[in-house]
Amino acid sequence: MSEFDYDLFVIGAGSGGVRASRVASSHGAKVAVAEEYRIGGTCVIRGCVPKKLLVYASMFAEELNHAEQMGWTIDEAKFDWKRLRDHVNGDVDRLNGLYTNTLENHNVERILERATVTGPNSVKLASGREVTAKYILVAVGAWPYMPDVPGVEHCISSNEVFHLDEQPKRLIVVGAGYIAMEFAGIFNALGSHVTVVNRTQTILRGYDEGVTDRLLSIATARGIDFRMDSSLVSVEKQDDGSLLVDIGGPQKLEADQVLIATGRVPKTEGLGLENAGIQLGPKGEVPVDEKNATTCESIYAVGDVTDRIQLTPVAIREGQAFADRVFGKIDRAVDYDNVPAAVFSQPPLGCVGLTESQAREKFGSVKVYSSDFRPMKNIFSHTPERGLYRMITDADSGKILGIHMIGPESPEILQLAAVAIKGGLTKEDFDATVAVHPSMSEELVLLK
């Protein structure tokens, strides 16, 4: 008989926690996972999946603008926010059920309660029951950051945006990272008047400046109002329910909703890790080594809670590697170089590898190739929006260091480009590849 109740106890049933749970169980471990909300985590329940469904829905507005030029007459087209909202949330319910079934089919015990760490091998549940485990995996993810300003209680985060009773006619988005730019694009396309409040002059900090400058230009042309070098000072709810928003300028703005999208912080408050001798990082993150081990030898952490790379596929790989290594005796590691990323703005961005400035800092001499083109589908548009692809290479070897693109379907095209970079290909290898014509992806092998 084991001296512990479980071989593995996982706190958090998001992407990383679910993967680690089922893989550990498949290796013969007795596993339980505690989740205080719903199975599936941020990505499935209140993040990338429902958000992208909103993106797809909002893109119909642009397609309808193209329709007349394509010979279509669409009379009395109208949009129903509640119908879209309910359909999206219905799909979230479906996915929650699928993730639940995955755990059940792999004999993972589900405990729908909050769990806190009480020691190196013990966890206390909200019901008061205490259980023990040989290993504990922390996979609680991250949570939207909400600033400490007067009236912030009248604002919403990305958690609540999927459940709005009404589509806001006037929406203020605070922040200009990927979450902010995605929701700004969604509601702008759906007909809301969107104002983006950003504390600097730069949107999507850390992404290639060439493609972010292009996005800023296109978003502005589409009617998004950018208030740069501004910060949220206060929010006041007026008698008619609208919001009066102070962003530090001479005039206050009026809005129906204020969406705070200024980043996410690890959800470790009250988790009790100090009871196992684990000291959190400056942002509340759980410090881990290359094997996702903490300073307590029985406790590991994966995913956004480590604040390493906050991406679902990274959390999944970390969960898989942890379970294989600890329970399957498979020495598996996660490679964090050249992790591709997408921003589902309108139009979307796809990026992998180093930006031009990062490459110059690291390698010194680099060569940049680019294609500035009008996508064929935009020929039917009333606006002359152009796509931009940029390839960063080492000037001496020609090895590709980064690819950055903005334009329709960029994330779909990026995946294979990321494989090429991961494989160490050069610009010459791309040049030697026959183009797929007519397509946007052919621009990657025609860069000058």
Side-chain angles (χ1 to χ4, degrees):
M1 295 291 291
S2 171
E3 62 178 300
F4 301 106
D5 298 318
Y6 302 98
D7 298 311
L8 174 64
F9 193 97
V10 180
I11 305 178
S15 298
V18 167
R19 176 61 65 90
S21 297
R22 71 172 183 82
V23 173
S25 182
S26 70
H27 288 312
K30 183 180 180 182
V31 183
V33 58
E35 173 55 57
E36 64 180 323
Y37 183 50
R38 304 182 76 184
I39 307 296
T42 293
C43 181
V44 171
I45 305 301
R46 50 184 174 265
C48 24
V49 171
K51 175 194 62 189
K52 194 169 183 185
L53 293 177
L54 293 184
V55 171
Y56 281 139
S58 65
M59 287 172 62
F60 273 97
E62 182 184 4
E63 302 296 337
L64 288 172
N65 287 332
H66 296 178
E68 185 178 351
Q69 302 297 322
M70 293 182 178
W72 290 90
T73 299
I74 301 176
D75 295 323
E76 299 182 7
K78 60 181 181 179
F79 172 68
D80 186 334
W81 163 257
K82 292 181 179 178
R83 188 171 183 179
L84 170 62
R85 178 202 64 193
D86 293 346
H87 180 78
V88 169
N89 288 326
D91 198 61
V92 168
D93 292 339
R94 178 184 67 85
L95 292 172
N96 172 246
L98 290 177
Y99 271 69
T100 299
N101 291 341
T102 294
L103 293 177
E104 289 179 345
N105 293 338
H106 285 84
N107 298 314
V108 176
E109 182 180 345
R110 294 170 296 110
I111 302 174
L112 299 182
E113 298 180 43
R114 177 174 173 79
T116 55
V117 175
T118 55
N121 301 99
S122 59
V123 171
K124 187 175 184 179
L125 303 173
S127 60
R129 182 164 68 102
E130 192 158 349
V131 298
T132 60
K134 184 176 182 180
Y135 294 102
I136 296 171
L137 178 67
V138 178
V140 295
W143 204 248
Y145 169 77
M146 299 297 282
D148 184 16
V149 298
V152 72
E153 67 274 12
H154 303 308
C155 304
I156 61 172
S157 72
S158 56
N159 287 354
E160 295 80 38
V161 73
F162 301 104
H163 305 282
L164 294 175
D165 292 332
E166 304 286 345
Q167 178 189 346
K169 294 180 179 178
R170 300 163 299 176
L171 174 68
I172 292 177
V173 178
V174 182
Y178 75 94
I179 296 175
M181 293 306 300
E182 287 171 341
F183 281 114
I186 288 168
F187 283 99
N188 169 255
L190 294 178
S192 300
H193 180 271
V194 177
T195 301
V196 173
V197 177
N198 185 30
R199 62 184 177 85
T200 70
Q201 284 284 336
T202 304
I203 67 169
L204 294 174
R205 183 167 52 89
Y207 288 80
D208 184 82
E209 291 183 6
V211 296
T212 58
D213 287 347
R214 179 62 55 88
L215 177 60
L216 179 59
S217 175
I218 292 174
T220 301
R222 288 192 179 194
I224 297 178
D225 180 15
F226 286 88
R227 301 298 179 96
M228 302 300 198
D229 296 320
S230 301
S231 299
L232 185 65
V233 177
S234 67
V235 179
E236 179 184 349
K237 193 164 188 176
Q238 302 185 101
D239 292 340
D240 63 356
S242 65
L243 303 174
L244 193 61
V245 184
D246 185 353
I247 60 170
Q251 293 184 322
K252 296 181 179 180
L253 306 178
E254 287 192 313
D256 301 301
Q257 288 285 353
V258 176
L259 169 61
I260 307 291
T262 52
R264 298 173 62 82
V265 294
K267 198 172 184 292
T268 51
E269 185 176 356
L271 194 57
L273 289 170
E274 69 279 1
N275 296 322
I278 298 173
Q279 183 175 353
L280 300 177
K283 296 181 181 178
E285 73 274 18
V286 181
V288 293
D289 63 14
E290 69 280 358
K291 295 183 178 180
N292 287 90
T294 70
T295 54
C296 176
E297 63 180 13
S298 57
I299 299 181
Y300 291 74
V302 299
D304 292 0
V305 74
T306 69
D307 199 36
R308 189 147 48 188
I309 299 180
Q310 291 191 3
L311 290 174
T312 295
V314 172
I316 291 173
R317 290 204 169 211
E318 289 177 344
Q320 175 92 39
F322 157 78
D324 280 343
R325 192 168 49 246
V326 174
F327 296 101
K329 307 306 178 186
I330 303 171
D331 190 14
R332 193 185 301 278
V334 178
D335 184 356
Y336 297 98
D337 289 335
N338 294 317
V339 174
V343 179
F344 294 99
S345 50
Q346 300 189 34
L349 276 64
C351 306
V352 62
L354 303 178
T355 66
E356 180 181 350
S357 59
Q358 290 169 343
R360 291 192 186 281
E361 182 178 343
K362 186 172 182 178
F363 291 91
S365 181
V366 302
K367 192 167 184 179
V368 180
Y369 300 88
S370 65
S371 177
D372 190 331
F373 62 98
R374 189 177 186 185
M376 182 178 287
K377 68 175 295 185
N378 285 357
I379 298 298
F380 294 96
S381 174
H382 297 291
T383 57
E385 293 181 1
R386 299 181 66 83
L388 176 65
Y389 292 0
R390 286 164 52 82
M391 177 184 287
I392 319 299
T393 67
D394 178 69
D396 297 325
S397 66
K399 182 178 179 180
I400 302 172
L401 305 175
I403 291 179
H404 310 273
M405 55 181 70
I406 179 173
E409 324 304 342
S410 287
E412 305 295 339
I413 297 169
L414 178 74
Q415 184 66 79
L416 287 180
V419 173
I421 291 184
K422 199 71 174 176
L425 298 190
T426 65
K427 174 66 164 60
E428 185 177 345
D429 292 320
F430 271 58
D431 292 343
T433 304
V434 176
V436 177
H437 181 77
S439 72
M440 290 175 290
S441 59
E442 69 179 310
E443 298 296 331
L444 285 174
V445 299
L446 303 173
L447 293 167
K448 302 295 184 183

